Amino acid sequence: MFLLFLKSLVWIFRPPFQFRLIANQMEEFGIRSLPVVLLTGAFTGMVFALQSYHGFHRFGAETLIGPAVSLSLTRELGPVLTGLMVAGRTGSAIAAEIGTMKVTEQIDALETLATNPIKYLVVPRILSGIIMLPILTVFAVGIGMLGGYVVSVYMMGANPTIYVKSSFDILYLEDITNGLIKAAFFGLVIALVGCYYGFYAKGGAKGVGQGTTKAVVVACMSILILDFFLSKILWGIII
Amino acid sequence: MIELKDIHISFGNHKVLDGVNLEVKKGESVVVIGRSGSGKTVLIKHIIGLLKPDYGEVWVDGIKVNELKEKELNQLRKKFGMLFQYAALFDSMTVGENVAFALMQNTRMKREAIEKRVKECLRMVGLEDVGHMNPAELSGGMKKRVGLARAIALQPEIILYDEPSTGLDPIMADAINNLIIELREKLNVTSVSITHDMVSAFKIADRVAMLYEGKIIETGSPEEIKSSPNPVVQQFIHGEAKGPIPSLE
Ligand SMILES: Nc1ncnc2c1ncn2[C@@H]1O[C@H](COP(=O)(O)OP(=O)(O)O)[C@@H](O)[C@H]1O
Ligand SMILES: [Mg+2]
């Protein structure tokens, strides 16, 4: 898989650039995943506000709900949950599509038509993943914070002005950018893992199915593991 | 023009080709016959560099294919057209886009010129009006004809046919055979076909080669093959279950 990554890296910078393909993939990654991501973001923000209210209420620190929601969404929940949802949706679609192309000799056909499959199939997917995941994450975080606001203000009776102010005051620019950097890495991982299990699909429909399942599992695990190490590196947390 | 020298290849511990030697001259039509699973597809994929031999050499026009770098290999592949067993059309594209693919990727032709060439190729296979359809809407025979149109778009000098008539009704199979013959006569292409359909093999071949147990055990004109004294060849071309080739494994 690392080899696939290196090869793709080489091809990303080599013309001709397949802009039309990248646009198609961005639609696949972005627009089609948006509803799922929005729904996830909204309910995560809501339930997080709900649960932290009960927690903070015990020692009278209700004003910390806003900051808790915004920090955790930007730094962790936004990128990670977006990554996991997209891994399930788009990662599986990538593995299934490329796997089908593999077992029906379409990849061979590409090669006989003098076209490099990595350039043609992998690079557009990786680029779209890297570009679209941060954008989706912005949406997820935005709607998540809105969800938190709605729950806190309308259900728990928090003061709207204080809630909003405290939510944004706590955030450093770094919280947002680092969250988005993580999201970009997750996009890369989703596309790369999907392509990898597609390319190594063997033996007909069953092989494609197995490859698809593996792609989702491996992508999700990698996101969770990578998240830990990226957080440690990006924020320089020393244990 | 094409020469396979002592090609060996295994998948895992399953030896598929065990020293294949085959020569194809310019303008010649060679048909490789052999049972399903005998390694015919594996053999043909070596010619165009889709597979690399564990041992042995593949030569095309004085170039050693199995040691080419990607860039040179793609250059060489522009001389080739390949028809796949199940056509392998790109199912995310229309028929027209499939045929146009090589022209879009590998030439600087203008849009109109490409459209014209696509029409020409589709007309040659008798499918002028399906350009806007999706591959999934086509029958097996139509898919193969579109596959053929896609293979000839760049005016190849060499065409590889992987079981061009298998799985088609006899009339469609004969239509494909006629197309193959027509292409050779009109465009003077060299071709390597593989099949286990003997009617088709004898019709399109200048020379027939039989692949058996990983080796080419006999080559000759259709007449020579028909009168071959080798019982393996005789059993195969007459399609008999009884003989030196075990029918059930
Ligand atoms: N990529 C591959 N990996 C593993 N085994 C393969 C591969 N390609 C072909 N084989 C095996 O090689 C043998 C010959 O296959 P093939 O050339 O497709 O036969 P056919 O003569 O029917 O075209 C089969 O047993 C097949 O399972
Ligand atoms: Mg075959």
Side-chain angles (χ1 to χ4, degrees):
Chain A
M1 188 150 3
F2 191 63
L3 196 68
L4 183 66
F5 176 59
L6 290 184
K7 281 189 197 163
S8 320
L9 216 53
V10 171
W11 279 103
I12 285 178
F13 300 105
R14 228 186 264 178
F17 301 109
Q18 313 264 6
F19 291 113
R20 199 175 54 92
L21 291 175
I22 297 174
N24 284 349
Q25 285 307 317
M26 280 171 68
E27 187 187 336
E28 182 66 34
F29 252 103
I31 320 259
R32 304 236 173 112
S33 301
L34 193 57
V36 183
V37 166
L38 287 180
L39 207 69
T40 311
F43 278 95
T44 306
M46 282 158 66
V47 78
F48 202 82
L50 198 68
Q51 294 287 22
S52 37
Y53 175 82
H54 291 293
F56 288 127
H57 182 67
R58 286 179 198 165
F59 38 99
E62 287 93 338
T63 47
L64 291 179
I65 299 174
V69 170
S70 63
L71 267 187
S72 46
L73 276 175
T74 50
R75 292 173 71 131
E76 282 303 325
L77 294 175
V80 170
L81 289 176
T82 303
L84 294 178
M85 295 317 283
V86 176
R89 211 205 145 281
T90 312
S92 60
I94 290 174
E97 186 183 5
I98 295 187
T100 305
M101 290 185 74
K102 170 79 186 187
V103 300
T104 57
E105 296 186 309
Q106 289 178 53
I107 307 263
D108 285 336
L110 267 183
E111 288 195 56
T112 63
L113 298 169
T115 302
N116 182 295
I118 293 182
K119 171 94 188 157
Y120 191 81
L121 296 171
V122 182
V123 167
R125 283 165 177 78
I126 286 183
L127 287 179
S128 331
I130 294 177
I131 296 167
M132 292 314 286
L133 253 270
I135 295 177
L136 287 169
T137 300
V138 167
F139 279 99
V141 171
I143 197 148
M145 286 174 72
L146 189 69
Y149 174 85
V150 169
V151 168
S152 306
V153 172
Y154 295 102
M155 287 171 67
M156 311 298 173
N159 179 318
T161 338
I162 295 178
Y163 183 88
V164 172
K165 190 169 181 312
S166 65
S167 293
F168 285 101
D169 278 354
I170 188 91
L171 287 182
Y172 292 126
L173 184 63
E174 216 187 42
D175 294 323
I176 299 168
T177 50
N178 283 355
L180 297 185
I181 291 172
K182 289 205 288 190
F185 273 98
F186 298 160
L188 167 72
V189 165
I190 293 167
L192 197 63
V193 170
C195 291
Y196 178 84
Y197 285 104
F199 271 112
Y200 290 92
K202 266 197 199 118
K206 194 166 167 227
V208 176
Q210 287 168 343
T212 307
T213 310
K214 266 199 194 139
V216 175
V217 173
V218 172
C220 289
M221 301 300 282
S222 315
I223 286 174
L224 293 171
I225 295 169
L226 198 63
D227 181 51
F228 176 79
F229 289 103
L230 280 175
S231 301
K232 195 165 171 331
I233 295 165
L234 287 170
W235 278 286
I237 302 165
I238 299 153
I239 297 174
Chain B
M1 173 170 223
I2 301 173
E3 203 179 351
L4 300 178
K5 287 186 185 165
D6 199 20
I7 303 293
H8 293 255
I9 188 168
S10 318
F11 296 102
N13 48 19
H14 173 37
K15 185 128 200 174
V16 176
L17 298 182
D18 186 16
V20 164
N21 288 289
L22 183 69
E23 202 179 327
V24 182
K25 295 191 194 69
K26 197 169 166 55
E28 199 180 21
S29 167
V30 169
V31 175
V32 178
I33 57 174
R35 297 191 65 185
S36 290
S38 60
K40 302 185 297 298
T41 301
V42 169
L43 185 155
I44 211 168
K45 281 185 176 172
H46 276 86
I47 300 176
I48 194 165
L50 286 173
L51 289 172
K52 289 197 164 54
D54 297 337
Y55 182 86
E57 295 172 3
V58 181
W59 292 83
V60 172
D61 275 348
I63 299 170
K64 196 168 174 186
V65 178
N66 54 311
E67 281 176 5
L68 284 183
K69 292 252 162 44
E70 154 119 27
K71 210 170 161 192
E72 301 139 347
L73 187 56
N74 277 338
Q75 212 50 44
L76 184 75
R77 279 172 176 163
K78 289 177 194 168
K79 285 189 192 178
F80 279 93
M82 178 159 180
L83 175 62
F84 288 85
Q85 185 162 355
Y86 302 102
L89 300 179
F90 303 127
D91 46 27
S92 58
M93 303 177 199
T94 64
V95 165
E97 288 166 345
N98 263 281
V99 180
F101 188 84
L103 302 168
M104 306 266 276
Q105 291 288 319
N106 300 320
T107 70
R108 294 187 186 283
M109 280 167 75
K110 289 247 164 50
R111 216 194 154 85
E112 297 81 54
I114 290 182
E115 276 172 22
K116 196 164 152 252
R117 178 75 190 140
V118 168
K119 273 234 162 70
E120 248 171 49
C121 292
L122 284 174
R123 191 177 318 125
M124 226 179 290
V125 298
L127 286 174
E128 251 170 295
D129 307 319
V130 304
H132 61 281
M133 287 167 80
N134 285 316
E137 301 171 64
L138 306 180
S139 72
M142 287 164 96
K143 278 187 195 158
K144 281 216 172 144
R145 284 190 284 163
V146 173
L148 191 51
R150 183 176 70 183
I152 60 178
L154 281 180
Q155 290 168 312
E157 296 166 35
I158 306 164
I159 307 186
L160 308 176
Y161 299 97
D162 190 347
E163 313 224 0
S165 58
T166 306
L168 304 180
D169 70 69
I171 295 171
M172 180 56 72
D174 197 52
I176 299 258
N177 291 338
N178 287 338
L179 264 173
I180 294 174
I181 293 168
E182 197 183 313
L183 282 175
R184 188 184 51 191
E185 283 168 358
K186 267 195 192 154
L187 311 174
N188 191 31
V189 293
T190 308
S191 68
V192 181
S193 323
I194 58 186
T195 188
H196 52 229
D197 170 359
M198 295 318 303
V199 180
S200 155
F202 287 136
K203 182 158 180 175
I204 61 181
D206 297 324
R207 209 146 52 82
V208 176
M210 170 137 183
L211 180 65
Y212 181 66
E213 293 187 332
K215 293 188 176 69
I216 299 288
I217 54 165
E218 185 127 346
T219 61
S221 68
E223 265 52 52
E224 286 166 347
I225 291 290
K226 280 178 195 163
S227 57
S228 160
N230 188 331
V232 169
V233 176
Q234 284 303 326
Q235 185 195 348
F236 187 78
I237 64 177
H238 292 111
E240 286 155 356
K242 268 211 178 98
I245 311 175
S247 54
L248 301 167
E249 270 142 306

